[in-house]
Amino acid sequence: MIIYNKYSRAINQQFSEPFNDVYKSSNKNKRTKLLPCLPNIYRRWYYSALIEDTSFSPANLFESLNRLCGQPPDLSPNIRICESSKYPDLSFEFESYNTSSHPVVADFRTIIEYCQPDIDLTEADAMPEEAAFDVAKKLHMQDQSYAAYLLALAMEMDFFVKIPSIHVNRAQLISGIEKRINLPDEEMFDKIVQAALRYASRSLNELVPLPQLIFDEEYLINILKNPAETDAIFQRLYDTIGVDIDDLVGMDIFDELDVFDMAIISGTYLLGILLDKYFLTPFGHYLKLIRPIYMIPFNLENEINSYLRGNTDEDELGIAFYAPCSRYYLTNTGLNYFNVEPTPSNYMDIENKLPFAKLTILFDNMNDKSTTKSSGRSKTVNFQTINASLERDCFVYSLKIKYLPDPRLWLNMEASDTTTIHRVYTEMSYYFDLDRNGEYTFFPDNTENPFLAYVSPKQAKRSKKTNETTLGSLTLQEKHTMILSVNYPRMSGAKHKAKWLIEVTKIRKGKEGPNYPIVTRLGKALREFFEWQ
């Protein structure tokens, strides 16, 4: 436990020291505005990559440390504030998240107890800011937005009824509430999740009016079980109004975009905030069923200073640090709750992709007495120094993979030059409903020459194997096309063999981190097939 405390403290120092620097340089008015936002600021930092375009986030670091030290994988820190001195004293308390004993259940009961026998509400039937700030001090997350969210779930579960009041919007708890909230913890957690789904569905559909309901509960459950790129969620929405968001990418914002295009871009920004507030943050940060990751680092000083300079409207306090993440994965708690098996597409194998044992030297150097003697404090880590151990310069291949019998079924994938052909196959198999251990043949061009073919690992043929062949070894060029032929596919309509065309659409230099390969987009028809199967 000594080792765990040492490194967990070192990780959180990467937040607390820069935050204190900004806080101390702010005037009293700005400090007052900043403290209520602290839990949201920490949340954004916690899920953001420390190195761009990698999964090297504090959240993933903590899971890696948990596994190194034999702690529960979903043990996570929550920031706490003590204002006993001139400057806030930040501390971190750790909670273990699982379906049988989840902190949100105890917090939910605390909210109900706080509301005995009744509570005043805002005109929107929400918890007033003062009450949320007061009760948040009693929760495992000292976050007033979290407290308000739990009350919203209690309202969603019909635990309150409105009572007549003059000039006041007030509600009281229903009779028999004790019986309804004192169910076994696991059963209570399930009811909270179900209420969260209903609340997210209703809120998003009301706030994003479209000709048809997009964010129904079935769809939300599906994208929880089968994590998607947030861009794919946006595209599904725009498909309903006949807009291809890709058409806007690369256009000159002044010369080519018309009023409608600008409205789409503005709407995408708003949708991103709503998606984070009602879906990504609740199911990620509060319930810990998924783990978001922002691929762009969160520059704490710039973000806070920008917020302090630009926000004077109190109504903007609640949305200042909401934004859509790049993508997300199921946590161990999520895998258990939804009873699904981990795959490369829905779960990040932290132990293999981000081994904490390789990183300990970074934090050891940070706390070296020789580097801190003059300043009297530790130094934050320059995480770029992990490139030698976790990253390297590489080529990144953008691939478009089409099912030849029906080219409407396609996906886009990015892979590094060290990605094997078999790894490309296993990634695409998840979406095309293929047997991950099935037989297939890969042809490095579109001639299907049997003398140049590579076969799947378990075939007895003497041909070269796909698990021993990387994309980098094929000397590929942009626009190059290849064929993958599956012997016994399960896809509807395929009798014996079916073929996929793999086109290299782009090659760029990049950094190889723990993400590749990664599916970046599904075509509409494949998305519908994937959701159906």
Side-chain angles (χ1 to χ4, degrees), residues 46-50 54-62 291-293 354:
Y46 185 72
Y47 294 109
S48 295
L50 297 167
T54 74
S55 293
F56 195 80
S57 68
N60 287 334
L61 265 179
F62 270 108
R291 181 176 298 134
I293 179 162
L354 197 64

Side-chain angles (χ1 to χ4, degrees), residues 451-514:
F451 297 104
L452 301 177
Y454 299 81
V455 298
S456 47
K458 293 188 177 181
Q459 292 192 56
K461 297 178 181 179
R462 293 185 178 180
S463 303
K464 291 175 285 188
K465 299 296 177 67
T466 56
N467 61 328
E468 300 170 353
T469 306
T470 65
L471 290 174
S473 68
L474 299 176
T475 61
L476 302 173
Q477 302 293 325
E478 291 185 2
K479 306 301 181 183
H480 186 85
T481 56
M482 302 164 281
I483 297 290
L484 192 145
S485 176
V486 179
N487 295 354
Y488 305 102
R490 295 193 295 239
M491 291 192 72
S492 176
K495 295 180 180 179
H496 298 292
K497 287 189 177 183
K499 296 176 183 179
W500 280 257
L501 181 72
I502 303 176
E503 180 184 1
V504 181
T505 57
K506 186 177 181 181
I507 302 175
R508 61 177 174 82
K509 289 184 178 181
K511 292 288 185 183
E512 178 161 40

Side-chain angles (χ1 to χ4, degrees), residues 230-433:
T230 50
D231 284 349
I233 299 175
F234 292 153
Q235 186 58 58
R236 183 179 190 271
L237 183 149
Y238 288 121
D239 282 346
T240 65
I241 56 176
V243 172
D244 189 341
I245 201 68
D246 286 350
D247 290 344
L248 302 181
V249 177
M251 295 175 67
D252 187 291
I253 195 166
F254 297 106
D255 296 337
E256 299 180 58
L257 296 180
D258 58 22
V259 174
F260 179 73
D261 293 333
M262 294 296 290
I264 293 295
I265 292 175
S266 176
T268 303
Y269 172 76
L270 175 61
L271 173 60
I273 292 174
L274 298 176
L275 190 65
D276 190 11
K277 184 169 183 175
Y278 294 103
F279 178 73
L280 297 167
T281 291
F283 291 99
H285 191 53
Y286 300 159
L287 300 175
K288 295 292 194 293
L289 296 176
I290 57 176
R291 181 176 298 134
I293 179 162
Y294 298 82
M295 293 299 187
I296 298 176
F298 182 76
N299 188 312
L300 193 146
E301 182 177 0
N302 289 347
E303 291 283 349
I304 291 178
N305 284 331
S306 175
Y307 166 72
L308 291 175
R309 286 194 303 270
N311 286 272
T312 56
D313 188 344
E314 292 297 318
D315 292 337
E316 296 180 16
L317 289 173
I319 63 171
F321 295 99
Y322 287 107
C325 65
S326 305
R327 68 165 298 132
Y328 56 93
Y329 295 94
L330 283 166
T331 61
N332 287 272
T333 302
L335 291 172
N336 292 333
Y337 179 78
F338 291 113
N339 193 28
V340 297
E341 293 295 320
T343 70
S345 298
N346 68 18
Y347 181 74
M348 179 173 287
D349 186 354
I350 294 292
E351 287 183 284
N352 290 326
K353 294 195 171 186
L354 197 64
F356 200 87
K358 290 186 177 182
L359 307 175
T360 55
I361 189 172
L362 294 176
F363 298 103
D364 291 339
N365 290 340
M366 180 189 76
N367 291 306
D368 190 295
K369 292 182 180 179
S370 64
T371 64
T372 61
K373 187 174 181 180
S374 60
S375 64
R377 54 175 285 183
S378 60
K379 295 182 179 180
T380 54
V381 174
N382 177 7
F383 285 98
Q384 296 294 340
T385 59
I386 71 164
N387 286 355
S389 58
L390 292 179
E391 291 190 319
R392 66 171 188 84
D393 292 331
C394 70
F395 285 102
V396 177
Y397 298 89
S398 297
L399 308 176
K400 193 175 196 77
I401 302 175
K402 295 180 181 179
Y403 179 55
L404 284 177
D406 186 353
R408 295 177 307 147
L409 301 175
W410 60 267
L411 61 78
N412 290 344
M413 182 188 300
E414 287 193 347
S416 73
D417 51 16
T418 61
T419 303
T420 64
I421 302 304
H422 185 61
R423 187 69 182 82
V424 171
Y425 170 80
T426 56
E427 188 76 8
M428 60 181 278
S429 68
Y430 184 63
Y431 297 93
F432 287 105
D433 192 28

Side-chain angles (χ1 to χ4, degrees), residues 3-185:
I3 294 176
Y4 186 82
N5 290 339
K6 170 186 175 181
Y7 291 120
S8 62
R9 189 183 306 114
I11 296 171
N12 277 323
Q13 275 182 300
Q14 309 309 303
F15 175 85
S16 58
E17 291 191 355
F19 177 82
N20 280 328
D21 288 343
V22 175
Y23 188 84
K24 291 175 182 178
S25 65
S26 302
N27 60 39
K28 183 177 180 180
N29 181 53
K30 289 181 178 180
R31 290 175 186 172
T32 303
K33 190 166 77 167
L34 193 56
L35 279 184
C37 295
L38 181 56
N40 278 322
I41 298 171
Y42 181 74
R43 170 182 56 81
R44 277 294 310 275
W45 171 85
Y46 185 72
Y47 294 109
S48 295
L50 297 167
I51 301 174
E52 189 171 355
D53 289 332
T54 74
S55 293
F56 195 80
S57 68
N60 287 334
L61 265 179
F62 270 108
E63 182 180 341
S64 183
L65 177 60
N66 292 340
R67 294 184 178 279
L68 175 71
C69 297
Q71 298 293 327
D74 288 339
L75 184 70
S76 304
N78 291 300
I79 194 166
R80 306 192 77 79
I81 312 163
C82 177
E83 298 181 67
S84 58
S85 60
K86 183 178 180 180
Y87 301 117
D89 180 16
L90 305 185
S91 61
F92 301 88
E93 292 189 3
F94 287 77
E95 295 279 355
S96 181
Y97 294 81
N98 57 72
T99 55
S100 59
S101 180
H102 199 293
V104 75
V105 175
D107 288 343
F108 189 80
R109 291 171 178 149
T110 299
I111 292 289
I112 297 300
E113 181 180 355
Y114 180 84
C115 295
Q116 297 277 10
D118 55 46
I119 184 172
D120 290 344
L121 301 172
T122 67
E123 293 181 3
D125 290 344
M127 179 177 279
E129 184 178 322
E130 300 79 7
F133 187 78
D134 183 42
V135 72
K137 298 175 184 177
K138 305 177 182 180
L139 307 180
H140 86 283
M141 287 185 189
Q142 289 186 338
D143 181 355
Q144 62 190 60
S145 57
Y146 172 62
Y149 178 76
L150 292 183
L151 179 66
L153 294 189
M155 300 286 288
E156 186 70 34
M157 298 163 78
D158 295 325
F159 282 5
F160 289 87
V161 292
K162 291 290 190 69
I163 54 177
S165 300
I166 299 176
H167 306 304
V168 175
N169 186 15
R170 181 171 294 169
Q172 69 179 15
L173 289 161
I174 62 173
S175 60
I177 187 65
E178 293 80 7
K179 182 178 180 180
R180 295 188 65 176
I181 66 171
N182 288 322
L183 298 170
D185 282 6

